[in-house]
Amino acid sequence: MDGNRRYAKKNHLARSTGHLHGFDTLSKILGWCKALDVKEITIFAFSFENFKRSQEEVDDLMEISREKFDLMIKEIDKINEHGICVRFWGELELLPDDIQERFTFIMSATRDNKRAYLNVCFAYSSRCEIVGAMNKIKDEVVNTKLKISDINENLITDYLYSAGSQPPDLLIRTSGVVRLSDFLLWQSSFTINAFVDVLWPEFSFWDLIGCLLNYQRYEAQVNQARRTYLSKKILPEKSVTKKLPCQVNN
Amino acid sequence: MSITKSFDLFFSILLIFVHRSLKIIVFLKNVFNSFQRKINITSDLDNYLKLPHHVVFVINCHDNVLSIDEIASLVNWSIQLGIENISLYDSEGLLVNYLSDIEKSISNKLDLDRQLKFRCSQQNGSLDSNIIFHCEYNSSKLRIISLLNQKFIMAMLLKEIVKKRLSEDKGKITVDEFDQTLLSKLDLPDPDLSVLCSETPCLFGLLPWNIRLTEIIHLPVFGKLVEKDFLSVISRYSNCEQRFGK
């Protein structure tokens, strides 16, 4: 959800109005994805790094969040009717108590739904998520629930917020920025990236279709590469060494 | 034939038509951009506001877009620009199979009397997934990181950290601590720029920990690769602005 402030500046609007329009775009996109039968959506609503913004802007964003998540709570029966499980990923303890309470309510009210998943990354950073998973594993070892020999990359995957989810197939970044900015770094190793120039509040249905066509173009090739990569990894380590050419100097 | 089946058939044909049209549009766009690059891009270094400290070329071996000679050209142009860290990556380790050809090709481009030799290093003892091939030329460090499975190494590091925590320190692992530990093990700085050397917009498992702020830019490959194609990537990178969440 990148480009709200630039959108506000471009259209001579208040910064908070830009963020508000951004949230409106989000609800439109969720509707389109539902119509297209997308099973899982993860949105990057608020980065851990966004706390560095001015206090005024952070407060504005929190106020808009309160308003929007209250709307979500009002429509919780509708969400349950559609079978959508809503989850919040991030350092939630850093958020104001009343927002944490809203998140807890929504998560517990929708946790048994299995038809579709909406993951909202809030106060999120991928490196914090990875290190958080590592700390959970460390605590399990200290409490003798796990052994040190159990630790491997799959175990780390199982302790991330995204445990149990499929890795994302398509990652869309708006507003002409061409980096991941600490979003799903571990999960998006074999994800198709769509970097689009349009600002988030201006993201239209046709932009989404463009991203999906791009995904369809490369999906088979990326899946093949992912399978080859995974099959390479399960080979015994020695066989990887044997591939090294003999002229290499140690 | 039922109405539903007719609709399915209609939409399947429509989808094929859309994809074919898209292919043609992309082709025409590439032709146009290729001409535009030849006119607009200059070799004058002063035009580039900033250069990457570490560039990684992500090669997709299945696309067959680049030859070994062209990969060597990319390395050579990066050296000429004075980029300090230049890495080559593919997800299947195939580049390693062509190591001697790459060495020969880069040496030819640099006009060297004595051929460059990549050395193999395993900084973490017996870990076979922790292999980086590296060599130095002037102020540039060249690496081939195709056999580096960073997730595996991160898990191994976690094992070591947990072992230490059990005996000495009971505190939490922090992001900075893990970042420093990984850096001291691999001696691999975060890439500022990753150049996708094929049309496929995917990083193919490249260094998940290090790509947090890496700019991801396609190398515009159309016809024979020329220096201006590479410089157009550097020019685009040079205009990228980092905001660090602010």
Side-chain angles (χ1 to χ4, degrees):
Chain A
M1 292 172 64
D2 199 14
N4 295 340
R5 290 183 300 176
R6 268 165 286 171
Y7 166 81
K9 205 174 167 188
K10 193 175 123 186
N11 294 291
H12 310 291
L13 299 168
R15 206 169 40 199
S16 57
T17 315
H19 289 304
L20 209 60
H21 285 202
F23 269 95
D24 293 341
T25 304
L26 172 64
S27 36
K28 274 194 286 181
I29 290 177
L30 293 179
W32 300 331
C33 287
K34 195 185 157 290
L36 292 165
D37 205 19
V38 177
K39 292 276 181 286
E40 185 159 359
I41 302 166
T42 304
I43 55 160
F44 200 4
F46 188 83
S47 149
F48 185 74
E49 301 285 323
N50 289 153
F51 281 117
K52 288 181 191 164
R53 292 183 178 179
S54 71
Q55 193 56 45
E56 190 198 347
E57 191 179 352
V58 173
D59 290 344
D60 278 350
L61 277 165
M62 293 302 154
E63 200 44 53
I64 294 170
S65 306
R66 281 186 190 97
E67 202 182 295
K68 295 295 172 187
F69 292 120
D70 279 342
L71 265 179
M72 200 181 234
I73 291 171
K74 266 189 197 162
E75 299 204 351
I76 209 85
D77 290 339
K78 222 168 159 188
I79 293 173
N80 282 332
E81 211 175 283
H82 290 300
I84 302 167
C85 170
V86 185
R87 300 179 285 202
F88 293 91
W89 296 351
E91 310 295 303
L92 304 183
E93 66 281 1
L94 299 177
L95 296 168
D97 288 345
D98 61 317
I99 291 191
Q100 285 188 47
E101 282 163 21
R102 285 171 172 86
F103 286 0
T104 312
F105 176 81
I106 296 169
M107 279 197 280
S108 56
T110 62
R111 81 166 141 225
D112 296 325
N113 297 334
K114 288 190 170 57
R115 219 174 298 155
Y117 296 88
L118 171 64
N119 312 312
V120 183
C121 293
F122 216 95
Y124 172 89
S125 107
S126 190
R127 280 191 174 182
C128 286
E129 180 190 18
I130 295 167
V131 170
M134 290 176 168
N135 276 312
K136 282 182 219 157
I137 292 170
K138 186 208 76 181
D139 292 342
E140 298 276 52
V141 175
V142 171
N143 298 328
T144 63
K145 287 182 186 159
L146 282 173
K147 288 182 278 182
I148 289 184
S149 58
D150 293 332
I151 299 175
N152 57 38
E153 56 181 277
N154 294 333
L155 190 74
I156 297 177
T157 307
D158 291 342
Y159 276 79
L160 296 172
Y161 299 129
S162 57
S165 292
Q166 290 295 312
D169 298 303
L170 172 66
L171 187 147
I172 301 174
R173 173 97 201 231
T174 52
S175 81
V177 177
V178 289
R179 54 183 173 268
L180 299 179
S181 297
D182 223 337
F183 182 54
L184 302 180
L185 301 177
W186 186 277
Q187 298 89 337
S188 64
S189 289
F190 284 88
T191 293
I192 292 171
N193 301 309
F195 297 115
V196 289
D197 288 335
V198 63
L199 302 172
W200 171 257
E202 293 172 338
F203 193 83
S204 69
F205 177 72
W206 296 110
D207 292 315
L208 179 65
I209 293 295
C211 293
L212 291 175
L213 285 174
N214 223 22
Y215 165 74
Q216 288 174 347
R217 267 187 94 184
Y218 301 111
E219 181 225 355
Q221 196 191 61
V222 170
N223 280 339
Q224 174 64 36
R226 179 192 277 144
R227 278 195 295 274
T228 315
Y229 179 77
L230 291 175
S231 65
K232 188 190 84 178
K233 273 199 322 188
I234 56 164
L235 287 172
E237 287 170 12
K238 290 293 169 201
S239 66
V240 177
T241 318
K242 275 179 199 159
K243 279 167 69 181
L244 305 182
C246 53
Q247 69 267 35
V248 172
N249 302 326
N250 270 301
Chain B
M1 198 187 283
S2 70
I3 294 174
T4 330
K5 273 189 179 172
S6 309
F7 265 115
D8 282 353
L9 184 66
F10 170 73
F11 282 115
S12 302
I13 294 169
L14 182 67
L15 190 65
I16 293 169
F17 174 75
V18 168
H19 274 286
R20 292 273 158 89
S21 312
L22 190 67
K23 230 177 177 174
I24 295 168
I25 292 168
V26 170
F27 176 80
L28 293 174
K29 205 175 144 198
N30 285 343
V31 175
F32 176 73
N33 288 344
S34 170
F35 279 118
Q36 212 182 28
R37 268 196 307 280
K38 286 190 175 75
I39 298 162
N40 293 344
I41 300 292
T42 80
S43 310
D44 188 357
L45 257 184
D46 294 340
N47 287 332
Y48 304 112
L49 302 170
K50 58 173 181 179
L51 285 176
H53 174 66
H54 183 189
V55 59
V56 182
F57 294 99
V58 180
I59 316 282
N60 177 3
C61 292
H62 294 284
D63 254 11
N64 289 328
V65 173
L66 293 183
S67 63
I68 296 288
D69 190 58
E70 286 170 321
I71 294 172
S73 294
L74 288 171
V75 173
N76 177 29
W77 296 326
S78 305
I79 292 173
Q80 304 307 334
L81 271 186
I83 298 173
E84 288 167 47
N85 294 280
I86 303 157
S87 304
L88 300 175
Y89 174 81
D90 78 286
S91 63
E92 295 171 30
L94 293 175
L95 283 175
V96 174
N97 294 346
Y98 296 101
L99 199 65
S100 58
D101 296 320
I102 294 173
E103 285 168 341
K104 206 169 145 189
S105 226
I106 297 175
S107 306
N108 283 343
K109 300 271 172 204
L110 293 170
D111 219 3
L112 297 180
D113 298 332
R114 232 178 108 224
Q115 193 172 304
L116 274 181
K117 272 280 173 207
F118 279 93
R119 297 182 301 279
C120 165
S121 63
Q122 286 172 278
Q123 290 94 335
N124 207 4
S126 61
L127 291 182
D128 288 336
S129 296
N130 183 7
I131 300 168
I132 298 177
F133 295 90
H134 61 93
C135 68
E136 283 87 28
Y137 178 79
N138 285 350
S139 57
S140 300
K141 186 158 185 172
L142 319 181
R143 295 180 181 88
I144 296 179
I145 51 174
S146 302
L147 291 184
L148 189 68
N149 177 356
Q150 199 184 42
K151 287 184 184 172
F152 176 82
I153 290 160
M154 286 166 75
M156 292 299 109
L157 269 185
L158 177 62
K159 271 187 183 178
E160 284 176 23
I161 293 172
V162 172
K163 249 184 224 169
K164 270 191 197 159
R165 286 291 204 276
L166 281 178
S167 56
E168 300 161 21
D169 176 11
K170 303 277 187 254
K172 270 189 176 294
I173 308 162
T174 64
V175 170
D176 287 341
E177 177 197 356
F178 191 79
D179 191 41
Q180 285 308 313
T181 318
L182 192 65
L183 183 66
S184 62
K185 285 284 176 199
L186 295 180
D187 183 30
L188 198 62
D190 291 351
D192 306 294
L193 169 64
S194 84
V195 182
L196 304 183
C197 300
S198 73
E199 270 195 13
T200 316
C202 177
L203 286 167
F204 297 103
L206 174 74
L207 306 172
W209 181 264
N210 299 97
I211 52 166
R212 187 172 70 108
L213 297 172
T214 305
E215 307 288 351
I216 303 162
I217 300 177
H218 276 278
L219 179 72
V221 187
F222 183 75
K224 192 182 168 353
L225 184 74
V226 292
E227 192 176 6
K228 285 195 175 179
D229 296 330
F230 169 69
L231 289 176
S232 73
V233 174
I234 299 296
S235 165
R236 171 121 198 246
Y237 168 79
S238 169
N239 292 318
C240 287
E241 188 199 347
Q242 294 265 358
R243 286 174 286 131
F244 307 105
K246 284 185 187 169

